[in-house]
Amino acid sequence: MRSWLITGGSPGGFGMAIAEAALAAGGRVAVTVRRPGELRHWADAHGDRVLVLTADVTDAAAVRAAVHTTEDRFGGIDVLVNNAGRGWYGSVEGMDEAGLRAMFELNFFSVLTVLRAALPGMRERGSGWVVNMSSVAGLRATNGFGYYSATKSAIESITEVLREELAPAGILVLAVEPGAFRTRAYAGFGAQPVDEPIHFYRPMLEQVRTAMAEQDGRQPGDPQRGARAILEAMAQDPPPRRLVLGSSGFDAVEAALEDALAELRGNEKLSRSADFPDPH
């Protein structure tokens, strides 16, 4: 029976979909939330197989407490899912600095905080999984979401290195890159004004807001199916290093990688010309 710790367990999100899939597979699940009352009925229905923890993942002390409580309750953590995160739109030049730093604090630095709290116990046990929820935007940056894309690109790099560093400890690492999924992540987009101080970028951001608002509730991705796909990927031998979720996401990443490879090869001669001449 696997014991899971999942950050960002708000109703209607990927965290809860993964929690449900883990429970259906016979696991025990701890989830972190900022408003535990939202999960009271859900937790009551699952009894001692579920632990709801009140924790802001940007608070290191609260994270350590959540990890220790999970370890005490379940005897350890077999699967850590770093799911907590948030994105908002704005231009690279004009986005409020406090807002973009807060986004990095939540989407990137809090992941490091959770990892540093949970990994000692996992290494001691010599087994386990780390699942880092990234985004298609981490592989193919999105206009209007430059800083969000940057936080997810940072997650991609950390996950790549973490995979190699933890392999000798028997811990497997997976990056998951969802495309457009029908979660609550962008609920209320249409009602939000474009808070952009540089007029030049406002038409672009208006288009971004309109497109996101029109798509909300009609995204093609099903979080429950996505969560089950994650568990299926973890069961593969060997498991994948990363998993893109959703057809639209797959198509976007495939096109981006093919374009990047074509450009790389198109400039191969120029790239190689930067070396010292071969003495032979």
Side-chain angles (χ1 to χ4, degrees), residues 3 8 12 20 23 37 56 74 77 83 94 125 138 143 168-169 176 182 186 202 208 210 223 240 247 254 260 278-279:
S3 298
E20 291 284 3
L23 288 168
D56 179 345
F74 294 151
I77 298 169
N83 172 72
R125 298 179 70 189
N143 287 352
V176 178
R182 207 168 298 179
Y186 295 105
R202 288 182 184 174
V208 168
T210 299
S247 296
E254 182 181 44
D278 187 341

PDB file of all heavy atoms in Angstrom, residues 3 8 12 20 23 37 56 74 77 83 94 125 138 143 168-169 176 182 186 202 208 210 223 240 247 254 260 278-279:
ATOM      1  N   SER A   3       1.921   5.138   0.252  1.00  0.00           N
ATOM      2  CA  SER A   3       1.516   6.342   0.970  1.00  0.00           C
ATOM      3  C   SER A   3       1.940   7.553   0.145  1.00  0.00           C
ATOM      4  O   SER A   3       3.109   7.664  -0.238  1.00  0.00           O
ATOM      5  CB  SER A   3       2.172   6.390   2.350  1.00  0.00           C
ATOM      6  OG  SER A   3       1.753   5.297   3.137  1.00  0.00           O
ATOM      7  N   GLY A   8      -1.168  20.927  -2.859  1.00  0.00           N
ATOM      8  CA  GLY A   8      -2.160  21.601  -3.703  1.00  0.00           C
ATOM      9  C   GLY A   8      -3.385  20.753  -3.949  1.00  0.00           C
ATOM     10  O   GLY A   8      -3.666  20.385  -5.092  1.00  0.00           O
ATOM     11  N   GLY A  12     -11.417  20.225  -7.450  1.00  0.00           N
ATOM     12  CA  GLY A  12     -11.488  20.547  -8.871  1.00  0.00           C
ATOM     13  C   GLY A  12     -10.153  20.655  -9.566  1.00  0.00           C
ATOM     14  O   GLY A  12     -10.092  21.007 -10.743  1.00  0.00           O
ATOM     15  N   GLU A  20      -7.598  10.902  -5.804  1.00  0.00           N
ATOM     16  CA  GLU A  20      -8.654   9.919  -6.051  1.00  0.00           C
ATOM     17  C   GLU A  20      -8.095   8.682  -6.764  1.00  0.00           C
ATOM     18  O   GLU A  20      -8.460   7.545  -6.439  1.00  0.00           O
ATOM     19  CB  GLU A  20      -9.774  10.549  -6.893  1.00  0.00           C
ATOM     20  CG  GLU A  20     -10.592  11.604  -6.162  1.00  0.00           C
ATOM     21  CD  GLU A  20     -11.578  10.992  -5.167  1.00  0.00           C
ATOM     22  OE1 GLU A  20     -11.596   9.760  -5.007  1.00  0.00           O
ATOM     23  OE2 GLU A  20     -12.324  11.764  -4.553  1.00  0.00           O
ATOM     24  N   LEU A  23      -6.131   6.621  -4.255  1.00  0.00           N
ATOM     25  CA  LEU A  23      -7.029   5.889  -3.356  1.00  0.00           C
ATOM     26  C   LEU A  23      -7.653   4.696  -4.078  1.00  0.00           C
ATOM     27  O   LEU A  23      -7.766   3.603  -3.497  1.00  0.00           O
ATOM     28  CB  LEU A  23      -8.121   6.827  -2.838  1.00  0.00           C
ATOM     29  CG  LEU A  23      -7.675   7.875  -1.819  1.00  0.00           C
ATOM     30  CD1 LEU A  23      -8.777   8.913  -1.610  1.00  0.00           C
ATOM     31  CD2 LEU A  23      -7.299   7.231  -0.488  1.00  0.00           C
ATOM     32  N   GLY A  37     -11.477  23.084   5.188  1.00  0.00           N
ATOM     33  CA  GLY A  37     -12.923  22.891   5.255  1.00  0.00           C
ATOM     34  C   GLY A  37     -13.520  22.446   3.937  1.00  0.00           C
ATOM     35  O   GLY A  37     -14.553  21.762   3.915  1.00  0.00           O
ATOM     36  N   ASP A  56       0.551  26.163   3.876  1.00  0.00           N
ATOM     37  CA  ASP A  56       0.956  27.028   2.771  1.00  0.00           C
ATOM     38  C   ASP A  56       2.349  26.557   2.375  1.00  0.00           C
ATOM     39  O   ASP A  56       3.292  26.630   3.176  1.00  0.00           O
ATOM     40  CB  ASP A  56       0.982  28.479   3.247  1.00  0.00           C
ATOM     41  CG  ASP A  56       1.429  29.457   2.170  1.00  0.00           C
ATOM     42  OD1 ASP A  56       1.983  29.011   1.143  1.00  0.00           O
ATOM     43  OD2 ASP A  56       1.246  30.665   2.369  1.00  0.00           O
ATOM     44  N   PHE A  74       1.556   7.621   8.369  1.00  0.00           N
ATOM     45  CA  PHE A  74       1.596   6.536   7.393  1.00  0.00           C
ATOM     46  C   PHE A  74       2.876   5.700   7.446  1.00  0.00           C
ATOM     47  O   PHE A  74       3.009   4.731   6.706  1.00  0.00           O
ATOM     48  CB  PHE A  74       1.436   7.096   5.975  1.00  0.00           C
ATOM     49  CG  PHE A  74       0.093   7.715   5.694  1.00  0.00           C
ATOM     50  CD1 PHE A  74      -0.026   8.745   4.766  1.00  0.00           C
ATOM     51  CD2 PHE A  74      -1.055   7.268   6.337  1.00  0.00           C
ATOM     52  CE1 PHE A  74      -1.261   9.319   4.486  1.00  0.00           C
ATOM     53  CE2 PHE A  74      -2.296   7.839   6.061  1.00  0.00           C
ATOM     54  CZ  PHE A  74      -2.401   8.856   5.136  1.00  0.00           C
ATOM     55  N   ILE A  77       6.721   8.223   3.358  1.00  0.00           N
ATOM     56  CA  ILE A  77       6.147   8.739   2.113  1.00  0.00           C
ATOM     57  C   ILE A  77       6.714   7.927   0.959  1.00  0.00           C
ATOM     58  O   ILE A  77       7.926   7.901   0.752  1.00  0.00           O
ATOM     59  CB  ILE A  77       6.462  10.233   1.926  1.00  0.00           C
ATOM     60  CG1 ILE A  77       5.835  11.061   3.052  1.00  0.00           C
ATOM     61  CG2 ILE A  77       5.962  10.728   0.560  1.00  0.00           C
ATOM     62  CD1 ILE A  77       6.312  12.502   3.091  1.00  0.00           C
ATOM     63  N   ASN A  83       2.443  19.399  -6.648  1.00  0.00           N
ATOM     64  CA  ASN A  83       1.370  19.856  -7.538  1.00  0.00           C
ATOM     65  C   ASN A  83       0.987  21.312  -7.309  1.00  0.00           C
ATOM     66  O   ASN A  83       0.463  21.958  -8.217  1.00  0.00           O
ATOM     67  CB  ASN A  83       0.141  18.966  -7.337  1.00  0.00           C
ATOM     68  CG  ASN A  83      -1.079  19.488  -8.065  1.00  0.00           C
ATOM     69  OD1 ASN A  83      -1.167  19.437  -9.279  1.00  0.00           O
ATOM     70  ND2 ASN A  83      -2.037  20.016  -7.297  1.00  0.00           N
ATOM     71  N   GLY A  94       6.392  44.267 -18.435  1.00  0.00           N
ATOM     72  CA  GLY A  94       5.534  45.080 -17.585  1.00  0.00           C
ATOM     73  C   GLY A  94       4.960  44.423 -16.346  1.00  0.00           C
ATOM     74  O   GLY A  94       4.391  45.113 -15.502  1.00  0.00           O
ATOM     75  N   ARG A 125      14.692   5.240   3.359  1.00  0.00           N
ATOM     76  CA  ARG A 125      13.946   4.017   3.042  1.00  0.00           C
ATOM     77  C   ARG A 125      14.456   3.349   1.771  1.00  0.00           C
ATOM     78  O   ARG A 125      14.188   2.173   1.521  1.00  0.00           O
ATOM     79  CB  ARG A 125      12.455   4.340   2.897  1.00  0.00           C
ATOM     80  CG  ARG A 125      11.825   4.897   4.166  1.00  0.00           C
ATOM     81  CD  ARG A 125      10.366   5.209   3.964  1.00  0.00           C
ATOM     82  NE  ARG A 125       9.567   3.994   3.817  1.00  0.00           N
ATOM     83  CZ  ARG A 125       8.296   3.979   3.470  1.00  0.00           C
ATOM     84  NH1 ARG A 125       7.701   5.118   3.185  1.00  0.00           N
ATOM     85  NH2 ARG A 125       7.637   2.847   3.382  1.00  0.00           N
ATOM     86  N   GLY A 138       6.271  24.627 -19.820  1.00  0.00           N
ATOM     87  CA  GLY A 138       7.662  24.451 -19.449  1.00  0.00           C
ATOM     88  C   GLY A 138       8.522  23.952 -20.581  1.00  0.00           C
ATOM     89  O   GLY A 138       9.753  24.046 -20.537  1.00  0.00           O
ATOM     90  N   ASN A 143       2.967  32.912 -24.947  1.00  0.00           N
ATOM     91  CA  ASN A 143       2.860  34.366 -24.920  1.00  0.00           C
ATOM     92  C   ASN A 143       1.894  34.818 -23.833  1.00  0.00           C
ATOM     93  O   ASN A 143       0.810  34.254 -23.657  1.00  0.00           O
ATOM     94  CB  ASN A 143       2.358  34.894 -26.265  1.00  0.00           C
ATOM     95  CG  ASN A 143       3.401  34.813 -27.352  1.00  0.00           C
ATOM     96  OD1 ASN A 143       4.559  34.500 -27.095  1.00  0.00           O
ATOM     97  ND2 ASN A 143       2.993  35.100 -28.581  1.00  0.00           N
ATOM     98  N   PRO A 168      20.644   6.565  -7.504  1.00  0.00           N
ATOM     99  CA  PRO A 168      21.361   5.633  -6.628  1.00  0.00           C
ATOM    100  C   PRO A 168      20.631   5.343  -5.311  1.00  0.00           C
ATOM    101  O   PRO A 168      20.915   4.335  -4.658  1.00  0.00           O
ATOM    102  CB  PRO A 168      22.689   6.343  -6.359  1.00  0.00           C
ATOM    103  CG  PRO A 168      22.857   7.297  -7.498  1.00  0.00           C
ATOM    104  CD  PRO A 168      21.462   7.738  -7.820  1.00  0.00           C
ATOM    105  N   ALA A 169      19.692   6.219  -4.941  1.00  0.00           N
ATOM    106  CA  ALA A 169      18.918   6.014  -3.710  1.00  0.00           C
ATOM    107  C   ALA A 169      17.675   5.178  -3.954  1.00  0.00           C
ATOM    108  O   ALA A 169      16.903   4.935  -3.018  1.00  0.00           O
ATOM    109  CB  ALA A 169      18.522   7.366  -3.114  1.00  0.00           C
ATOM    110  N   VAL A 176       5.609  15.736 -15.180  1.00  0.00           N
ATOM    111  CA  VAL A 176       4.318  15.646 -15.863  1.00  0.00           C
ATOM    112  C   VAL A 176       3.981  17.013 -16.431  1.00  0.00           C
ATOM    113  O   VAL A 176       4.007  18.018 -15.709  1.00  0.00           O
ATOM    114  CB  VAL A 176       3.208  15.176 -14.906  1.00  0.00           C
ATOM    115  CG1 VAL A 176       1.863  15.133 -15.633  1.00  0.00           C
ATOM    116  CG2 VAL A 176       3.545  13.812 -14.323  1.00  0.00           C
ATOM    117  N   ARG A 182      -9.480  20.624 -17.786  1.00  0.00           N
ATOM    118  CA  ARG A 182     -10.688  21.225 -17.242  1.00  0.00           C
ATOM    119  C   ARG A 182     -10.633  21.245 -15.719  1.00  0.00           C
ATOM    120  O   ARG A 182     -11.365  20.532 -15.022  1.00  0.00           O
ATOM    121  CB  ARG A 182     -11.917  20.460 -17.743  1.00  0.00           C
ATOM    122  CG  ARG A 182     -13.182  21.299 -17.799  1.00  0.00           C
ATOM    123  CD  ARG A 182     -14.285  20.581 -18.575  1.00  0.00           C
ATOM    124  NE  ARG A 182     -13.921  20.339 -19.970  1.00  0.00           N
ATOM    125  CZ  ARG A 182     -14.680  19.725 -20.855  1.00  0.00           C
ATOM    126  NH1 ARG A 182     -15.867  19.262 -20.479  1.00  0.00           N
ATOM    127  NH2 ARG A 182     -14.273  19.552 -22.100  1.00  0.00           N
ATOM    128  N   TYR A 186      -8.079  28.382 -14.024  1.00  0.00           N
ATOM    129  CA  TYR A 186      -8.279  29.674 -14.672  1.00  0.00           C
ATOM    130  C   TYR A 186      -9.728  30.148 -14.586  1.00  0.00           C
ATOM    131  O   TYR A 186     -10.189  30.928 -15.409  1.00  0.00           O
ATOM    132  CB  TYR A 186      -7.809  29.595 -16.127  1.00  0.00           C
ATOM    133  CG  TYR A 186      -6.319  29.350 -16.211  1.00  0.00           C
ATOM    134  CD1 TYR A 186      -5.826  28.099 -16.562  1.00  0.00           C
ATOM    135  CD2 TYR A 186      -5.420  30.347 -15.888  1.00  0.00           C
ATOM    136  CE1 TYR A 186      -4.457  27.866 -16.613  1.00  0.00           C
ATOM    137  CE2 TYR A 186      -4.058  30.123 -15.926  1.00  0.00           C
ATOM    138  CZ  TYR A 186      -3.586  28.881 -16.292  1.00  0.00           C
ATOM    139  OH  TYR A 186      -2.241  28.652 -16.332  1.00  0.00           O
ATOM    140  N   ARG A 202      -1.035  45.647 -24.160  1.00  0.00           N
ATOM    141  CA  ARG A 202      -2.421  45.390 -23.763  1.00  0.00           C
ATOM    142  C   ARG A 202      -3.238  44.631 -24.799  1.00  0.00           C
ATOM    143  O   ARG A 202      -3.996  43.726 -24.432  1.00  0.00           O
ATOM    144  CB  ARG A 202      -3.113  46.707 -23.385  1.00  0.00           C
ATOM    145  CG  ARG A 202      -2.611  47.268 -22.061  1.00  0.00           C
ATOM    146  CD  ARG A 202      -3.325  48.543 -21.677  1.00  0.00           C
ATOM    147  NE  ARG A 202      -2.762  49.104 -20.453  1.00  0.00           N
ATOM    148  CZ  ARG A 202      -3.108  50.269 -19.938  1.00  0.00           C
ATOM    149  NH1 ARG A 202      -4.037  51.006 -20.558  1.00  0.00           N
ATOM    150  NH2 ARG A 202      -2.555  50.699 -18.828  1.00  0.00           N
ATOM    151  N   VAL A 208      -5.148  37.172 -24.923  1.00  0.00           N
ATOM    152  CA  VAL A 208      -4.859  36.055 -24.024  1.00  0.00           C
ATOM    153  C   VAL A 208      -6.014  35.844 -23.060  1.00  0.00           C
ATOM    154  O   VAL A 208      -6.505  34.725 -22.878  1.00  0.00           O
ATOM    155  CB  VAL A 208      -3.552  36.313 -23.250  1.00  0.00           C
ATOM    156  CG1 VAL A 208      -3.392  35.310 -22.111  1.00  0.00           C
ATOM    157  CG2 VAL A 208      -2.349  36.239 -24.183  1.00  0.00           C
ATOM    158  N   THR A 210      -9.153  36.811 -23.318  1.00  0.00           N
ATOM    159  CA  THR A 210     -10.363  36.366 -24.013  1.00  0.00           C
ATOM    160  C   THR A 210     -10.287  34.888 -24.367  1.00  0.00           C
ATOM    161  O   THR A 210     -11.243  34.132 -24.164  1.00  0.00           O
ATOM    162  CB  THR A 210     -10.572  37.198 -25.290  1.00  0.00           C
ATOM    163  OG1 THR A 210     -10.738  38.573 -24.932  1.00  0.00           O
ATOM    164  CG2 THR A 210     -11.798  36.726 -26.045  1.00  0.00           C
ATOM    165  N   PRO A 223      -9.086  15.803 -16.013  1.00  0.00           N
ATOM    166  CA  PRO A 223      -8.145  15.589 -14.913  1.00  0.00           C
ATOM    167  C   PRO A 223      -8.145  14.165 -14.372  1.00  0.00           C
ATOM    168  O   PRO A 223      -7.083  13.632 -14.021  1.00  0.00           O
ATOM    169  CB  PRO A 223      -8.618  16.580 -13.839  1.00  0.00           C
ATOM    170  CG  PRO A 223      -9.350  17.628 -14.585  1.00  0.00           C
ATOM    171  CD  PRO A 223     -10.009  16.927 -15.739  1.00  0.00           C
ATOM    172  N   PRO A 240       8.637   6.331 -17.994  1.00  0.00           N
ATOM    173  CA  PRO A 240       9.142   7.464 -18.776  1.00  0.00           C
ATOM    174  C   PRO A 240       9.790   8.508 -17.880  1.00  0.00           C
ATOM    175  O   PRO A 240       9.518   8.576 -16.677  1.00  0.00           O
ATOM    176  CB  PRO A 240       7.888   8.011 -19.459  1.00  0.00           C
ATOM    177  CG  PRO A 240       6.776   7.631 -18.542  1.00  0.00           C
ATOM    178  CD  PRO A 240       7.163   6.303 -17.958  1.00  0.00           C
ATOM    179  N   SER A 247      -4.042  15.602 -25.761  1.00  0.00           N
ATOM    180  CA  SER A 247      -3.709  15.625 -27.193  1.00  0.00           C
ATOM    181  C   SER A 247      -3.194  16.987 -27.638  1.00  0.00           C
ATOM    182  O   SER A 247      -2.223  17.074 -28.399  1.00  0.00           O
ATOM    183  CB  SER A 247      -4.950  15.248 -28.016  1.00  0.00           C
ATOM    184  OG  SER A 247      -5.352  13.925 -27.744  1.00  0.00           O
ATOM    185  N   GLU A 254       5.291  18.237 -29.498  1.00  0.00           N
ATOM    186  CA  GLU A 254       5.900  17.558 -30.643  1.00  0.00           C
ATOM    187  C   GLU A 254       6.352  18.570 -31.696  1.00  0.00           C
ATOM    188  O   GLU A 254       7.475  18.497 -32.218  1.00  0.00           O
ATOM    189  CB  GLU A 254       4.921  16.566 -31.255  1.00  0.00           C
ATOM    190  CG  GLU A 254       5.503  15.773 -32.420  1.00  0.00           C
ATOM    191  CD  GLU A 254       4.497  14.807 -33.017  1.00  0.00           C
ATOM    192  OE1 GLU A 254       3.321  15.207 -33.219  1.00  0.00           O
ATOM    193  OE2 GLU A 254       4.884  13.651 -33.282  1.00  0.00           O
ATOM    194  N   ALA A 260      12.664  22.855 -33.070  1.00  0.00           N
ATOM    195  CA  ALA A 260      13.949  23.105 -32.416  1.00  0.00           C
ATOM    196  C   ALA A 260      15.045  22.231 -33.015  1.00  0.00           C
ATOM    197  O   ALA A 260      16.175  22.693 -33.235  1.00  0.00           O
ATOM    198  CB  ALA A 260      13.830  22.855 -30.912  1.00  0.00           C
ATOM    199  N   ASP A 278      40.816  21.634 -35.206  1.00  0.00           N
ATOM    200  CA  ASP A 278      41.317  20.299 -34.864  1.00  0.00           C
ATOM    201  C   ASP A 278      42.811  20.233 -35.223  1.00  0.00           C
ATOM    202  O   ASP A 278      43.180  20.428 -36.394  1.00  0.00           O
ATOM    203  CB  ASP A 278      40.534  19.249 -35.654  1.00  0.00           C
ATOM    204  CG  ASP A 278      40.891  17.839 -35.212  1.00  0.00           C
ATOM    205  OD1 ASP A 278      41.942  17.639 -34.596  1.00  0.00           O
ATOM    206  OD2 ASP A 278      40.078  16.924 -35.496  1.00  0.00           O
ATOM    207  N   PRO A 279      43.682  19.973 -34.230  1.00  0.00           N
ATOM    208  CA  PRO A 279      45.121  19.966 -34.523  1.00  0.00           C
ATOM    209  C   PRO A 279      45.530  18.845 -35.468  1.00  0.00           C
ATOM    210  O   PRO A 279      46.628  18.874 -36.045  1.00  0.00           O
ATOM    211  CB  PRO A 279      45.756  19.778 -33.153  1.00  0.00           C
ATOM    212  CG  PRO A 279      44.706  19.138 -32.309  1.00  0.00           C
ATOM    213  CD  PRO A 279      43.403  19.690 -32.824  1.00  0.00           C
TER     214      PRO A 279
END
